[in-house]
């Protein structure tokens, strides 16, 4: 089997930079334009950044953990990298597309691989209405915020907000409140991946709300529409013994 052509990218941390130097000395340097796989050296933040950066290239990404959090990364090792890449198994994820209408009349779009989150901008709680597939499901959620998370992002901010971990193959999205005040006991919902979620901000002048899709923040929003963009396939590669599905199951049994 011919070894795949791969390019190396790394975060700016000393650990990742040193790993990049060692791997380039061992395997050589190749530009992304000439590669079949991108090898990302860092943590989950670097993986997220790399997925966004090369979203339109169509190249699978194989991460090796040189950072603090490495849920989306494989174990770092300098040995047998071409063989590991040849044996790696793909996991395909689709990003969320966020379309936003702002208080000032402007509109914009952004993509999220982890989650789209709405957060209050000031000291007062946000008041947000929620509709799913054009059906109003909650007239008013009083909260610090609310998010829609993908399966790949369900172990990130969503998990910190006590949202559910979603298996990659589950075809689900997690709708999770952030510090909900009313309804006090509402913990969120699991939605089919095909669902379209529309958030409407009540009293936006008095209770301003921002919307963030991964790295992209929009301030003073009025309405936010979120849905999975099936036209974009993002392929992550994992060692067979450390596949993403197994990591998600394992995470649910952590003490």
């Amino acid at each position: 089997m011919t070894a795949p052509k791969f390019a190396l990218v790394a975060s700016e941390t000393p650990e990742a930079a040193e790993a990049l130097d060692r791997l380039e000395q061992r395997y050589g340097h190749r530009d992304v334009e000439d590669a079949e796989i991108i090898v990302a050296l860092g943590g989950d933040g670097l993986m997220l950044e790399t997925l966004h950066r090369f979203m339109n290239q169509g190249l699978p990404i194989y991460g090796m953990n040189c950072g603090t959090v490495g849920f989306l990364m494989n174990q770092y090792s300098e040995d047998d990298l071409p063989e590991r890449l040849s044996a790696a198994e793909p996991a395909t994820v689709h990003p969320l597309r966020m379309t936003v209408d702002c208080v000032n009349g402007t509109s914009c779009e952004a993509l999220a691989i982890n989650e789209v989150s709405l957060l209050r901008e000031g000291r007062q709680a946000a008041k947000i209405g929620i509709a799913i597939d054009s059906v109003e499901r909650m007239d008013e959620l009083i909260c610090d915020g609310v998010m829609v998370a993908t399966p790949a992002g369900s172990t990130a901010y969503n998990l910190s907000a006590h949202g559910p971990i979603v298996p990659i193959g589950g075809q689900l999205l997690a709708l999770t409140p952030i510090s909900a005040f009313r309804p006090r006991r509402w913990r969120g919902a699991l939605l089919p991946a095909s669902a379209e979620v529309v958030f409407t901000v009540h009293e936006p002048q008095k209770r301003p709300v921002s919307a963030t899709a991964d790295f992209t923040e929009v301030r003073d929003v009025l309405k936010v529409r979120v849905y999975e963009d099936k036209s974009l396939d993002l392929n992550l590669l994992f060692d067979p013994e450390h596949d993403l599905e197994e990591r998600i199951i394992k995470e649910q049994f952590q003490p």
Side-chain angles (χ1 to χ4, degrees), residues 118-128 140-146 178-182 201-210 219-220:
L118 278 68
L119 293 168
R120 64 183 176 97
E121 295 178 15
R123 60 181 178 82
Q124 291 185 303
K127 292 185 176 182
I128 300 172
E140 186 174 87
L141 172 65
I142 303 176
C143 57
D144 280 353
V146 63
I178 303 169
S179 300
F181 180 69
R182 289 283 190 276
V201 177
H202 303 320
E203 303 178 40
Q205 302 287 355
K206 181 181 179 182
R207 303 171 185 270
V209 170
S210 66
R219 307 280 288 183
D220 301 327

Side-chain angles (χ1 to χ4, degrees), residues 94-96 114 147-151 154 158 164 166 170-176 189-197 226-228:
H94 304 288
L96 298 174
N114 271 4
M147 76 178 78
V148 179
T150 67
S154 66
N158 172 73
V166 181
Q171 295 296 306
L172 297 169
L173 301 174
L175 175 62
T176 303
L190 286 172
L191 306 175
S194 60
E196 178 186 276
V197 184
V226 182
Y227 62 95
E228 190 178 66

Side-chain angles (χ1 to χ4, degrees), residues 13-242:
T13 65
E15 182 181 357
E18 291 171 7
L20 176 64
D21 288 339
R22 291 194 299 269
L23 289 170
E24 285 189 336
Q25 289 176 18
R26 185 164 182 175
Y27 297 107
H29 170 81
R30 186 184 300 274
D31 292 331
V32 171
E33 291 76 14
D34 300 322
E36 298 169 319
I37 296 173
I38 297 173
V39 176
L41 307 172
D44 284 348
L46 186 274
M47 174 59 81
L48 195 63
E49 179 183 327
T50 305
L51 286 166
H52 275 279
R53 180 180 173 189
F54 299 107
M55 188 174 292
N56 296 319
Q57 305 289 96
L59 296 176
I61 300 175
Y62 179 91
M64 287 203 291
N65 189 20
C66 298
T68 303
V69 179
F71 183 80
L72 297 176
M73 315 300 279
N74 297 283
Q75 182 178 1
Y76 177 80
S77 173
E78 297 173 21
D79 297 329
D80 303 320
L81 182 55
E83 291 76 12
R84 290 176 70 186
L85 295 177
S86 295
E89 298 177 349
T92 300
V93 298
H94 304 288
L96 298 174
R97 184 170 294 275
M98 173 183 82
T99 63
V100 180
D101 295 330
C102 297
V103 173
N104 63 7
T106 61
S107 300
C108 63
E109 289 190 353
L111 292 170
I113 297 163
N114 271 4
E115 76 279 318
V116 170
S117 58
L118 278 68
L119 293 168
R120 64 183 176 97
E121 295 178 15
R123 60 181 178 82
Q124 291 185 303
K127 292 185 176 182
I128 300 172
I130 302 174
I132 312 295
D133 293 330
S134 302
V135 178
E136 184 180 78
R137 296 297 183 182
M138 187 169 293
D139 174 60
E140 186 174 87
L141 172 65
I142 303 176
C143 57
D144 280 353
V146 63
M147 76 178 78
V148 179
T150 67
S154 66
T155 55
Y157 189 13
N158 172 73
L159 182 60
S160 298
H162 307 291
I165 296 175
V166 181
I168 288 294
Q171 295 296 306
L172 297 169
L173 301 174
L175 175 62
T176 303
I178 303 169
S179 300
F181 180 69
R182 289 283 190 276
R184 189 178 297 276
R185 292 183 175 82
W186 189 62
R187 298 297 299 271
L190 286 172
L191 306 175
S194 60
E196 178 186 276
V197 184
V198 176
F199 300 108
T200 302
V201 177
H202 303 320
E203 303 178 40
Q205 302 287 355
K206 181 181 179 182
R207 303 171 185 270
V209 170
S210 66
T212 302
D214 287 350
F215 306 125
T216 306
E217 182 187 24
V218 182
R219 307 280 288 183
D220 301 327
V221 304
L222 184 62
K223 182 171 289 189
V224 179
R225 175 176 169 243
V226 182
Y227 62 95
E228 190 178 66
D229 192 336
K230 289 286 191 180
S231 69
L232 293 172
D233 293 337
L234 307 179
N235 295 306
L236 288 72
L237 296 176
F238 294 94
D239 296 327
E241 67 273 20
H242 294 292

